[in-house]
Amino acid sequence: MMNLNWLSLQLLALTLWAVVAQATLQDKLTVRAFSNPHFADVLNDNQLERLASTAHKESSWLDIKKGELLSPVLVPRQIGSPGYRATQDLIVTTLGQLGYAISWDNFTTPTPMGDVKMSNIIATKNPSAAKRLVLAAHYESKIVPGGDFIGATDSAVPVAMILDIAKGLAGLIEKQTDSDISLQMVFFDGEEAFEQWTSTDSIYGARHLAEFWEHNPDPATVAALSGATEHRPELERVELMVLMDLIGAPDNMFAALQIPTADIFTQLSKLEKRLQSAEYIDRLYMNTAMPPGAAGVEDDHLPFIERNIPVLHLISVPFPKVWHKLSDNAEALDATVIADMSLIMRSFVASYLRLH
């Protein structure tokens, strides 16, 4: 994602640009009815306590040194590298074993480094469902001169967190009573620029998948609805996308970056406060003091909001101090932040999908 120089520029010219841009987007937005717009209070205190207790027992999955979901992706993951392939295998194996239908969006695209093969990975729990709650992150790491860049916050932790949500909520998801909406997980390839961030040298995977889904259903959807004579484009099934990035650093804070999902962010903040009041998390991470749409970050969500898909963009603002530095490795991570964000996101998904 593009650096907006938060520490020095704060909200000067950026604020005016973002407010105008997001207001324009809001004007164009095709209003979508969220299945559960007031999800903060869906789970009662006992249910939240059980979620917190379970997350604590399973916290070893996201252990920085030996966690089965996090440690394997804390490696260089440049496109085509062994770490990149291992991360693909971890995603597909973990979600495949949990009963998710796996689709590959393979393509070759021109880059400043020549033509490069890339692959988005899509995992859908119930492809026949009419609607999708999408959790997304990019899984490759940037090419950085001078060494092997890992990208622990960018985005090893978000990838591991998505897998943690799927695994930690597996039992509740199997018992889900609302068959109209399914959890879907998207792992984007090619988010990082090869040279300098531009509209053509960035978010390769997101741009490709958004265009494909605008006109076509996902292959898993086609397979699940094999008797259908016509299929809606997959984008029509996406009710809400949650894009996660730059998570796991001690200074993580998040804001309502998209006006169309500002109410969703408010509900997430209310849910977070319930967790913090019960002492299940260490501190609050949602910055409600920043006005919705007061800042913008270029990331994988852009091709989707351009197509009127509501996106809750959970990216740390300001960026972590290690952003795009070789020091964005395991040593840059904070175990408490990771555990807190894991519980917040587990609670969000369980609440939004009414997983009692």
Side-chain angles (χ1 to χ4, degrees), residues 99-104 122-129 132 182 184 212-213 216-226 231 234 237:
Y100 285 74
I102 307 296
S103 299
W104 290 83
I122 303 97
T124 312
K125 182 57 179 173
N126 178 15
S128 63
R132 312 275 189 259
S182 173
Q184 185 175 61
F212 179 76
W213 274 5
N216 303 278
D218 187 78
T221 303
V222 175
L225 300 173
S226 58
H231 293 282
E234 194 73 12
R237 297 180 182 273

Side-chain angles (χ1 to χ4, degrees), residues 4-6 8-17 289-291 294-296:
L4 293 182
N5 230 353
W6 279 86
S8 58
L9 294 181
Q10 297 296 329
L11 300 174
L12 297 177
L14 172 63
T15 300
L16 178 59
W17 168 83
M290 182 182 293

Side-chain angles (χ1 to χ4, degrees), residues 18-88:
V19 169
V20 173
Q22 296 305 327
T24 302
L25 173 62
Q26 179 67 49
D27 292 340
K28 294 180 179 179
L29 184 71
T30 300
V31 177
R32 298 194 178 202
F34 296 119
S35 294
N36 193 358
H38 305 292
F39 59 83
D41 296 316
V42 164
L43 301 182
N44 62 39
D45 291 344
N46 290 334
Q47 291 166 332
L48 274 186
E49 182 182 15
R50 286 196 293 271
L51 275 179
S53 176
T54 300
H56 179 72
K57 293 175 183 177
E58 297 168 347
S59 61
S60 62
W61 297 347
L62 296 177
D63 184 84
I64 296 169
K65 293 184 177 180
K66 55 184 179 181
E68 63 185 78
L69 299 180
L70 178 55
S71 180
V73 297
L74 290 176
V75 296
R77 303 179 310 282
Q78 288 74 27
I79 295 173
S81 68
Y84 168 90
R85 299 296 182 195
T87 299
Q88 290 179 328

Side-chain angles (χ1 to χ4, degrees), residues 137-195:
H138 76 91
Y139 70 93
E140 99 293 359
S141 53
K142 185 175 178 61
I143 299 172
V144 175
D148 289 329
F149 177 71
I150 290 176
T153 67
D154 188 14
S155 269
V157 169
V159 167
M161 281 179 51
I162 292 176
L163 298 179
D164 174 80
I165 291 166
K167 189 171 181 178
L169 297 181
L172 293 175
I173 291 172
E174 290 295 337
K175 299 175 183 178
Q176 182 180 357
T177 57
D178 185 359
S179 60
D180 194 43
I181 184 168
S182 173
L183 189 59
Q184 185 175 61
M185 301 175 174
V186 176
F187 302 88
F188 292 116
D189 203 350
E191 186 266 353
E192 302 285 7
F194 285 85
E195 291 183 348

